Amino acid sequence: MSFPENVDKDSMMKQAQNIWTMLDEMADNNPQAYRKFIDKHMKEGKEYMKPPEPHMCVMTMITSTKRRYFINFCSWNKIPEPKTPDDAIPVMGTPVLHDKDDNGDFTYSGVAFNPKILEEFGIDCKNSMDRNSLINLAIDYIFNQNKITLSRSFTILPSKSKSKGNLPVLQKAFQGLNKNADQEFDEHLSEMEKTFGLQGCGAKDSLLNKLAHMSTEDNEQDKNAPNIQLPGLGKEQPKKQNLIQEIDPSNQIHDAELKVPEYSLEEIHKEENLEKLVLTVKLPGVHKVSECELDISEDDIDLTVQDRYHLNLSFHYLINDSIASAKFNKSDSSLVINLPIQT
């Protein structure tokens, strides 16, 4: 794996040498424990080298063209998990890809997280707002990476449809992003194996995961870099806000200053026709409607509460913005917005 600029290469190599020495001593003094250790890490190494697996797929649209856009959330062992609730949440994203189905052309891309992140905040998350926060952060990430503005109105595909687009192409795109780093790291390991004479065929690969995580743990985040916040993490015990950290060659971290508030969007039908949309936004800490700045157009809505919240949604339907209305409920600090559909 490539060494980040702020990681001491000599220190990294010294740590690796210590592991080699420890294994040599174990092989001499306790061959059975040595073999058990190697077998365990061989198994972990194989898991680590697996391609990303689809976890869930979200459909939204590009606001400027109304073209369908699918976000493929993938689980990948190569993406490290945060060590504490205060640490950044690493993520890696693919370039934008294109495909077509029976409904026409569509655009898609992938975002990969550590499996434990998706177990907690993915498709089976008990709190839908936590899951929505992760999805909204993926939308922010795609904008920061590709300058594509996606609608905040989205649909999670059924669990049997975990991906959309060409999955092998998507997996190769992920592996292509990581190829140079893996090759360089493997070369370092090969050099150390020759130097220190690690016993046991294939032991070099068995330590890939452990050594790769060393470089991640030693890679201290730039304190001056902006961050993307993941609001509402962990309801069972108090936690500070997590951060989401992009895994890319430049190790850049982008920012989203304001929280995306919790919201729900309901379709109201009259007979068989869609009559209006009702958007309910939860705004804890807001006490009066004058704190809200609301802008409604025929195809989107923009809500800002200074220094607290920002919500921007685009709609699949045209809104009759001239007769749209909003009501603020002080009892639960919620804003209910009625959005009649153009006929």
Short mmCIF file of all heavy atoms in Angstrom, two decimals, residues 225-280:
data_model
loop_
_atom_site.label_atom_id
_atom_site.label_comp_id
_atom_site.label_asym_id
_atom_site.label_seq_id
_atom_site.Cartn_x
_atom_site.Cartn_y
_atom_site.Cartn_z
N ALA A 225 -8.22 19.93 7.32
CA ALA A 225 -9.06 19.52 6.20
C ALA A 225 -10.52 19.62 6.57
O ALA A 225 -10.91 19.35 7.70
CB ALA A 225 -8.72 18.08 5.80
N PRO A 226 -11.40 20.03 5.62
CA PRO A 226 -12.84 20.07 5.90
C PRO A 226 -13.40 18.67 6.03
O PRO A 226 -12.82 17.71 5.55
CB PRO A 226 -13.40 20.79 4.67
CG PRO A 226 -12.42 20.51 3.59
CD PRO A 226 -11.07 20.45 4.26
N ASN A 227 -14.56 18.56 6.68
CA ASN A 227 -15.16 17.25 6.94
C ASN A 227 -16.61 17.21 6.52
O ASN A 227 -17.30 18.21 6.55
CB ASN A 227 -15.07 16.92 8.43
CG ASN A 227 -13.66 16.81 8.94
OD1 ASN A 227 -12.89 16.05 8.39
ND2 ASN A 227 -13.31 17.59 9.94
N ILE A 228 -17.06 16.00 6.14
CA ILE A 228 -18.48 15.76 5.90
C ILE A 228 -19.04 15.10 7.14
O ILE A 228 -18.53 14.08 7.59
CB ILE A 228 -18.69 14.85 4.68
CG1 ILE A 228 -18.25 15.60 3.42
CG2 ILE A 228 -20.14 14.42 4.56
CD1 ILE A 228 -18.40 14.78 2.17
N GLN A 229 -20.09 15.67 7.72
CA GLN A 229 -20.64 15.15 8.95
C GLN A 229 -21.72 14.13 8.67
O GLN A 229 -22.49 14.27 7.73
CB GLN A 229 -21.20 16.28 9.81
CG GLN A 229 -20.14 17.28 10.26
CD GLN A 229 -20.73 18.37 11.10
OE1 GLN A 229 -21.93 18.59 11.10
NE2 GLN A 229 -19.87 19.07 11.81
N LEU A 230 -21.78 13.11 9.51
CA LEU A 230 -22.85 12.12 9.45
C LEU A 230 -23.71 12.31 10.69
O LEU A 230 -23.35 11.89 11.77
CB LEU A 230 -22.27 10.71 9.43
CG LEU A 230 -23.26 9.56 9.33
CD1 LEU A 230 -24.13 9.70 8.09
CD2 LEU A 230 -22.55 8.23 9.31
N PRO A 231 -24.86 13.00 10.58
CA PRO A 231 -25.66 13.33 11.75
C PRO A 231 -26.42 12.13 12.28
O PRO A 231 -26.74 11.19 11.57
CB PRO A 231 -26.64 14.38 11.21
CG PRO A 231 -26.77 14.06 9.76
CD PRO A 231 -25.43 13.53 9.34
N GLY A 232 -26.74 12.18 13.57
CA GLY A 232 -27.65 11.22 14.18
C GLY A 232 -27.11 9.83 14.33
O GLY A 232 -27.86 8.87 14.34
N LEU A 233 -25.80 9.66 14.46
CA LEU A 233 -25.25 8.31 14.57
C LEU A 233 -25.42 7.80 15.99
O LEU A 233 -25.10 8.47 16.95
CB LEU A 233 -23.76 8.32 14.22
CG LEU A 233 -23.42 8.54 12.76
CD1 LEU A 233 -21.93 8.42 12.57
CD2 LEU A 233 -24.14 7.56 11.88
N GLY A 234 -25.93 6.54 16.10
CA GLY A 234 -25.97 5.89 17.39
C GLY A 234 -27.02 6.44 18.31
O GLY A 234 -26.86 7.49 18.91
N LYS A 235 -28.15 5.77 18.46
CA LYS A 235 -29.20 6.24 19.33
C LYS A 235 -29.16 5.57 20.71
O LYS A 235 -29.79 6.02 21.63
CB LYS A 235 -30.57 5.97 18.68
CG LYS A 235 -30.78 6.75 17.38
CD LYS A 235 -30.81 8.23 17.62
CE LYS A 235 -31.19 9.00 16.37
NZ LYS A 235 -30.22 8.95 15.32
N GLU A 236 -28.44 4.46 20.85
CA GLU A 236 -28.47 3.72 22.09
C GLU A 236 -27.62 4.37 23.17
O GLU A 236 -27.90 4.25 24.34
CB GLU A 236 -28.00 2.28 21.85
CG GLU A 236 -28.94 1.51 20.92
CD GLU A 236 -28.48 0.10 20.72
OE1 GLU A 236 -27.42 -0.25 21.29
OE2 GLU A 236 -29.17 -0.66 20.03
N GLN A 237 -26.55 5.05 22.78
CA GLN A 237 -25.72 5.72 23.74
C GLN A 237 -25.21 7.00 23.12
O GLN A 237 -25.09 7.13 21.92
CB GLN A 237 -24.54 4.84 24.16
CG GLN A 237 -23.65 4.43 22.98
CD GLN A 237 -22.54 3.52 23.43
OE1 GLN A 237 -22.51 3.06 24.54
NE2 GLN A 237 -21.60 3.26 22.55
N PRO A 238 -24.94 8.03 23.98
CA PRO A 238 -24.51 9.32 23.44
C PRO A 238 -23.20 9.17 22.68
O PRO A 238 -22.26 8.54 23.15
CB PRO A 238 -24.33 10.18 24.70
CG PRO A 238 -25.13 9.50 25.77
CD PRO A 238 -25.07 8.04 25.43
N LYS A 239 -23.16 9.74 21.49
CA LYS A 239 -21.95 9.72 20.67
C LYS A 239 -21.74 11.08 20.05
O LYS A 239 -22.69 11.79 19.74
CB LYS A 239 -22.05 8.69 19.53
CG LYS A 239 -22.11 7.24 19.99
CD LYS A 239 -22.16 6.33 18.78
CE LYS A 239 -22.24 4.88 19.18
NZ LYS A 239 -22.30 3.99 18.01
N LYS A 240 -20.49 11.41 19.83
CA LYS A 240 -20.21 12.60 19.05
C LYS A 240 -20.44 12.31 17.59
O LYS A 240 -20.47 11.18 17.16
CB LYS A 240 -18.76 13.05 19.28
CG LYS A 240 -18.48 13.51 20.71
CD LYS A 240 -17.05 13.99 20.83
CE LYS A 240 -16.76 14.45 22.24
NZ LYS A 240 -15.36 14.91 22.40
N GLN A 241 -20.59 13.37 16.80
CA GLN A 241 -20.85 13.17 15.37
C GLN A 241 -19.66 12.50 14.70
O GLN A 241 -18.51 12.83 14.94
CB GLN A 241 -21.10 14.51 14.70
CG GLN A 241 -22.43 15.13 15.11
CD GLN A 241 -22.62 16.46 14.43
OE1 GLN A 241 -21.67 17.15 14.12
NE2 GLN A 241 -23.86 16.84 14.22
N ASN A 242 -19.97 11.51 13.88
CA ASN A 242 -18.93 10.89 13.07
C ASN A 242 -18.61 11.77 11.87
O ASN A 242 -19.38 12.64 11.48
CB ASN A 242 -19.38 9.52 12.58
CG ASN A 242 -19.16 8.46 13.62
OD1 ASN A 242 -19.57 8.61 14.76
ND2 ASN A 242 -18.53 7.38 13.23
N LEU A 243 -17.49 11.49 11.27
CA LEU A 243 -17.09 12.16 10.04
C LEU A 243 -16.97 11.11 8.96
O LEU A 243 -16.75 9.95 9.23
CB LEU A 243 -15.73 12.86 10.23
CG LEU A 243 -15.67 13.81 11.42
CD1 LEU A 243 -14.24 14.32 11.58
CD2 LEU A 243 -16.61 14.98 11.23
N ILE A 244 -17.12 11.53 7.72
CA ILE A 244 -16.95 10.61 6.61
C ILE A 244 -15.71 11.02 5.83
O ILE A 244 -15.56 12.17 5.45
CB ILE A 244 -18.21 10.58 5.72
CG1 ILE A 244 -18.10 9.47 4.69
CG2 ILE A 244 -18.51 11.90 5.08
CD1 ILE A 244 -19.42 9.13 4.04
N GLN A 245 -14.80 10.11 5.68
CA GLN A 245 -13.51 10.39 5.07
C GLN A 245 -13.39 9.67 3.76
O GLN A 245 -13.57 8.46 3.68
CB GLN A 245 -12.38 9.94 6.00
CG GLN A 245 -11.00 10.13 5.40
CD GLN A 245 -9.94 9.46 6.24
OE1 GLN A 245 -10.24 8.76 7.19
NE2 GLN A 245 -8.69 9.67 5.87
N GLU A 246 -13.09 10.41 2.72
CA GLU A 246 -12.94 9.81 1.40
C GLU A 246 -11.62 9.07 1.30
O GLU A 246 -10.58 9.53 1.76
CB GLU A 246 -12.97 10.92 0.34
CG GLU A 246 -12.67 10.43 -1.05
CD GLU A 246 -12.27 11.55 -1.95
OE1 GLU A 246 -12.36 12.71 -1.56
OE2 GLU A 246 -11.82 11.24 -3.06
N ILE A 247 -11.65 7.86 0.73
CA ILE A 247 -10.43 7.11 0.44
C ILE A 247 -10.10 7.31 -1.03
O ILE A 247 -10.71 6.74 -1.91
CB ILE A 247 -10.63 5.62 0.73
CG1 ILE A 247 -11.08 5.40 2.18
CG2 ILE A 247 -9.35 4.84 0.45
CD1 ILE A 247 -10.07 5.82 3.19
N ASP A 248 -9.15 8.19 -1.32
CA ASP A 248 -8.73 8.40 -2.70
C ASP A 248 -7.26 8.80 -2.71
O ASP A 248 -6.67 9.03 -1.66
CB ASP A 248 -9.63 9.44 -3.39
CG ASP A 248 -9.43 10.86 -2.84
OD1 ASP A 248 -8.58 11.07 -1.95
OD2 ASP A 248 -10.13 11.75 -3.31
N PRO A 249 -6.65 8.86 -3.89
CA PRO A 249 -5.20 9.13 -3.94
C PRO A 249 -4.80 10.42 -3.26
O PRO A 249 -3.71 10.52 -2.71
CB PRO A 249 -4.91 9.17 -5.45
CG PRO A 249 -5.96 8.31 -6.05
CD PRO A 249 -7.19 8.54 -5.21
N SER A 250 -5.64 11.44 -3.29
CA SER A 250 -5.29 12.72 -2.69
C SER A 250 -5.70 12.81 -1.23
O SER A 250 -5.39 13.75 -0.54
CB SER A 250 -5.94 13.87 -3.47
OG SER A 250 -7.34 13.73 -3.45
N ASN A 251 -6.47 11.78 -0.74
CA ASN A 251 -6.92 11.73 0.64
C ASN A 251 -7.64 13.00 1.04
O ASN A 251 -7.49 13.50 2.15
CB ASN A 251 -5.76 11.47 1.60
CG ASN A 251 -6.23 10.94 2.93
OD1 ASN A 251 -7.23 10.24 3.00
ND2 ASN A 251 -5.51 11.29 3.99
N GLN A 252 -8.44 13.57 0.14
CA GLN A 252 -9.17 14.79 0.43
C GLN A 252 -10.42 14.46 1.21
O GLN A 252 -11.04 13.43 1.03
CB GLN A 252 -9.56 15.52 -0.86
CG GLN A 252 -8.37 16.01 -1.65
CD GLN A 252 -8.79 16.63 -2.95
OE1 GLN A 252 -9.90 16.42 -3.42
NE2 GLN A 252 -7.91 17.39 -3.54
N ILE A 253 -10.83 15.38 2.08
CA ILE A 253 -12.06 15.26 2.83
C ILE A 253 -12.86 16.52 2.56
O ILE A 253 -12.38 17.61 2.71
CB ILE A 253 -11.79 15.10 4.33
CG1 ILE A 253 -10.83 13.95 4.57
CG2 ILE A 253 -13.07 14.90 5.10
CD1 ILE A 253 -10.39 13.85 6.00
N HIS A 254 -14.11 16.33 2.13
CA HIS A 254 -14.95 17.45 1.76
C HIS A 254 -15.95 17.76 2.86
O HIS A 254 -16.17 16.99 3.76
CB HIS A 254 -15.68 17.14 0.45
CG HIS A 254 -14.74 16.81 -0.66
ND1 HIS A 254 -14.08 17.75 -1.38
CD2 HIS A 254 -14.33 15.60 -1.12
CE1 HIS A 254 -13.31 17.16 -2.27
NE2 HIS A 254 -13.45 15.86 -2.13
N ASP A 255 -16.61 18.96 2.75
CA ASP A 255 -17.42 19.35 3.87
C ASP A 255 -18.86 19.61 3.54
O ASP A 255 -19.24 19.92 2.45
CB ASP A 255 -16.69 20.52 4.54
CG ASP A 255 -17.32 21.88 4.43
OD1 ASP A 255 -17.85 22.25 3.40
OD2 ASP A 255 -17.22 22.57 5.43
N ALA A 256 -19.69 19.34 4.53
CA ALA A 256 -21.09 19.71 4.47
C ALA A 256 -21.37 20.35 5.81
O ALA A 256 -21.38 19.70 6.83
CB ALA A 256 -21.98 18.49 4.27
N GLU A 257 -21.53 21.67 5.86
CA GLU A 257 -21.50 22.40 7.10
C GLU A 257 -22.78 22.22 7.91
O GLU A 257 -22.75 22.21 9.14
CB GLU A 257 -21.28 23.89 6.82
CG GLU A 257 -19.92 24.18 6.18
CD GLU A 257 -19.75 25.64 5.85
OE1 GLU A 257 -20.72 26.39 6.03
OE2 GLU A 257 -18.65 26.02 5.44
N LEU A 258 -23.92 22.12 7.25
CA LEU A 258 -25.19 22.08 7.96
C LEU A 258 -25.79 20.67 7.93
O LEU A 258 -25.60 19.93 6.98
CB LEU A 258 -26.18 23.07 7.33
CG LEU A 258 -25.71 24.53 7.27
CD1 LEU A 258 -26.79 25.39 6.63
CD2 LEU A 258 -25.37 25.06 8.64
N LYS A 259 -26.52 20.35 8.98
CA LYS A 259 -27.18 19.05 9.05
C LYS A 259 -28.33 18.99 8.06
O LYS A 259 -29.03 19.98 7.83
CB LYS A 259 -27.74 18.83 10.46
CG LYS A 259 -26.73 18.43 11.50
CD LYS A 259 -27.47 18.10 12.79
CE LYS A 259 -26.50 17.66 13.88
NZ LYS A 259 -27.22 17.34 15.14
N VAL A 260 -28.55 17.81 7.50
CA VAL A 260 -29.77 17.52 6.76
C VAL A 260 -30.81 17.08 7.78
O VAL A 260 -30.63 16.06 8.45
CB VAL A 260 -29.56 16.43 5.71
CG1 VAL A 260 -30.88 16.11 5.00
CG2 VAL A 260 -28.51 16.85 4.70
N PRO A 261 -31.90 17.82 7.96
CA PRO A 261 -32.88 17.45 8.99
C PRO A 261 -33.64 16.19 8.62
O PRO A 261 -33.72 15.81 7.44
CB PRO A 261 -33.81 18.67 9.04
CG PRO A 261 -33.73 19.25 7.67
CD PRO A 261 -32.31 19.03 7.21
N GLU A 262 -34.23 15.58 9.61
CA GLU A 262 -35.10 14.43 9.35
C GLU A 262 -36.36 14.91 8.63
O GLU A 262 -36.90 15.97 8.96
CB GLU A 262 -35.50 13.76 10.67
CG GLU A 262 -34.33 13.18 11.44
CD GLU A 262 -34.78 12.50 12.72
OE1 GLU A 262 -36.01 12.44 12.95
OE2 GLU A 262 -33.92 12.05 13.48
N TYR A 263 -36.80 14.14 7.65
CA TYR A 263 -38.00 14.55 6.91
C TYR A 263 -38.71 13.32 6.34
O TYR A 263 -38.14 12.24 6.22
CB TYR A 263 -37.63 15.51 5.77
CG TYR A 263 -36.83 14.89 4.65
CD1 TYR A 263 -37.45 14.29 3.56
CD2 TYR A 263 -35.43 14.89 4.69
CE1 TYR A 263 -36.72 13.72 2.53
CE2 TYR A 263 -34.68 14.31 3.68
CZ TYR A 263 -35.34 13.73 2.60
OH TYR A 263 -34.61 13.16 1.59
N SER A 264 -39.96 13.52 6.00
CA SER A 264 -40.74 12.49 5.32
C SER A 264 -41.54 13.15 4.21
O SER A 264 -41.95 14.32 4.33
CB SER A 264 -41.69 11.77 6.29
OG SER A 264 -42.61 12.68 6.85
N LEU A 265 -41.74 12.42 3.12
CA LEU A 265 -42.46 12.95 1.96
C LEU A 265 -43.61 12.00 1.64
O LEU A 265 -43.39 10.83 1.35
CB LEU A 265 -41.52 13.10 0.77
CG LEU A 265 -42.09 13.79 -0.47
CD1 LEU A 265 -42.43 15.24 -0.16
CD2 LEU A 265 -41.08 13.74 -1.63
N GLU A 266 -44.83 12.53 1.70
CA GLU A 266 -46.03 11.70 1.50
C GLU A 266 -46.77 12.15 0.24
O GLU A 266 -46.92 13.36 -0.01
CB GLU A 266 -46.95 11.83 2.71
CG GLU A 266 -48.21 10.99 2.64
CD GLU A 266 -49.10 11.16 3.85
OE1 GLU A 266 -48.79 12.00 4.72
OE2 GLU A 266 -50.14 10.47 3.92
N GLU A 267 -47.24 11.20 -0.54
CA GLU A 267 -48.03 11.49 -1.72
C GLU A 267 -49.52 11.36 -1.37
O GLU A 267 -49.96 10.33 -0.85
CB GLU A 267 -47.68 10.53 -2.87
CG GLU A 267 -46.26 10.68 -3.38
CD GLU A 267 -45.98 9.78 -4.57
OE1 GLU A 267 -46.89 8.99 -4.94
OE2 GLU A 267 -44.87 9.86 -5.13
N ILE A 268 -50.28 12.40 -1.66
CA ILE A 268 -51.72 12.41 -1.41
C ILE A 268 -52.46 12.29 -2.74
O ILE A 268 -52.28 13.13 -3.63
CB ILE A 268 -52.16 13.69 -0.67
CG1 ILE A 268 -51.34 13.88 0.61
CG2 ILE A 268 -53.66 13.65 -0.36
CD1 ILE A 268 -51.50 12.78 1.62
N HIS A 269 -53.28 11.25 -2.87
CA HIS A 269 -54.02 11.01 -4.11
C HIS A 269 -55.50 11.34 -3.94
O HIS A 269 -56.07 11.15 -2.86
CB HIS A 269 -53.86 9.56 -4.55
CG HIS A 269 -52.48 9.21 -5.00
ND1 HIS A 269 -51.46 8.91 -4.12
CD2 HIS A 269 -51.96 9.11 -6.25
CE1 HIS A 269 -50.37 8.64 -4.80
NE2 HIS A 269 -50.63 8.75 -6.08
N LYS A 270 -56.08 11.84 -4.98
CA LYS A 270 -57.52 12.06 -5.05
C LYS A 270 -58.04 11.18 -6.17
O LYS A 270 -57.74 11.40 -7.34
CB LYS A 270 -57.85 13.52 -5.32
CG LYS A 270 -59.33 13.83 -5.26
CD LYS A 270 -59.59 15.32 -5.41
CE LYS A 270 -61.08 15.63 -5.30
NZ LYS A 270 -61.34 17.09 -5.44
N GLU A 271 -58.80 10.16 -5.76
CA GLU A 271 -59.19 9.09 -6.68
C GLU A 271 -57.92 8.45 -7.23
O GLU A 271 -57.10 7.95 -6.46
CB GLU A 271 -60.10 9.64 -7.79
CG GLU A 271 -61.42 10.17 -7.26
CD GLU A 271 -62.32 10.74 -8.34
OE1 GLU A 271 -61.85 10.87 -9.50
OE2 GLU A 271 -63.47 11.05 -8.03
N GLU A 272 -57.67 8.48 -8.52
CA GLU A 272 -56.47 7.84 -9.07
C GLU A 272 -55.37 8.84 -9.40
O GLU A 272 -54.28 8.46 -9.85
CB GLU A 272 -56.82 7.06 -10.34
CG GLU A 272 -57.77 5.89 -10.08
CD GLU A 272 -58.05 5.11 -11.35
OE1 GLU A 272 -57.57 5.54 -12.42
OE2 GLU A 272 -58.74 4.07 -11.28
N ASN A 273 -55.62 10.12 -9.17
CA ASN A 273 -54.66 11.15 -9.53
C ASN A 273 -53.90 11.67 -8.31
O ASN A 273 -54.47 11.80 -7.22
CB ASN A 273 -55.38 12.32 -10.22
CG ASN A 273 -56.06 11.90 -11.50
OD1 ASN A 273 -55.52 11.10 -12.27
ND2 ASN A 273 -57.27 12.40 -11.71
N LEU A 274 -52.62 11.96 -8.52
CA LEU A 274 -51.82 12.55 -7.47
C LEU A 274 -52.23 14.00 -7.29
O LEU A 274 -52.15 14.80 -8.22
CB LEU A 274 -50.32 12.46 -7.82
CG LEU A 274 -49.35 13.06 -6.82
CD1 LEU A 274 -49.44 12.35 -5.47
CD2 LEU A 274 -47.92 12.98 -7.35
N GLU A 275 -52.67 14.35 -6.08
CA GLU A 275 -53.16 15.71 -5.82
C GLU A 275 -52.07 16.62 -5.27
O GLU A 275 -51.92 17.76 -5.72
CB GLU A 275 -54.33 15.65 -4.84
CG GLU A 275 -54.93 17.02 -4.53
CD GLU A 275 -56.07 16.93 -3.52
OE1 GLU A 275 -56.08 15.96 -2.74
OE2 GLU A 275 -56.93 17.81 -3.52
N LYS A 276 -51.31 16.12 -4.30
CA LYS A 276 -50.28 16.96 -3.71
C LYS A 276 -49.24 16.10 -2.99
O LYS A 276 -49.45 14.91 -2.72
CB LYS A 276 -50.89 17.96 -2.73
CG LYS A 276 -51.54 17.33 -1.51
CD LYS A 276 -52.08 18.40 -0.57
CE LYS A 276 -52.77 17.78 0.65
NZ LYS A 276 -53.28 18.80 1.58
N LEU A 277 -48.11 16.73 -2.67
CA LEU A 277 -47.09 16.15 -1.82
C LEU A 277 -47.12 16.87 -0.48
O LEU A 277 -47.31 18.09 -0.44
CB LEU A 277 -45.70 16.29 -2.45
CG LEU A 277 -45.49 15.70 -3.84
CD1 LEU A 277 -44.08 16.03 -4.34
CD2 LEU A 277 -45.70 14.20 -3.85
N VAL A 278 -46.93 16.13 0.59
CA VAL A 278 -46.85 16.74 1.91
C VAL A 278 -45.48 16.41 2.49
O VAL A 278 -45.15 15.24 2.74
CB VAL A 278 -47.96 16.23 2.85
CG1 VAL A 278 -47.80 16.85 4.24
CG2 VAL A 278 -49.34 16.56 2.28
N LEU A 279 -44.68 17.44 2.69
CA LEU A 279 -43.33 17.30 3.22
C LEU A 279 -43.32 17.72 4.68
O LEU A 279 -43.69 18.86 5.00
CB LEU A 279 -42.35 18.16 2.41
CG LEU A 279 -40.89 18.20 2.90
CD1 LEU A 279 -40.25 16.83 2.79
CD2 LEU A 279 -40.09 19.23 2.10
N THR A 280 -42.93 16.82 5.56
CA THR A 280 -42.83 17.12 6.99
C THR A 280 -41.36 17.08 7.39
O THR A 280 -40.68 16.07 7.19
CB THR A 280 -43.62 16.10 7.83
OG1 THR A 280 -44.99 16.10 7.40
CG2 THR A 280 -43.56 16.47 9.30
#
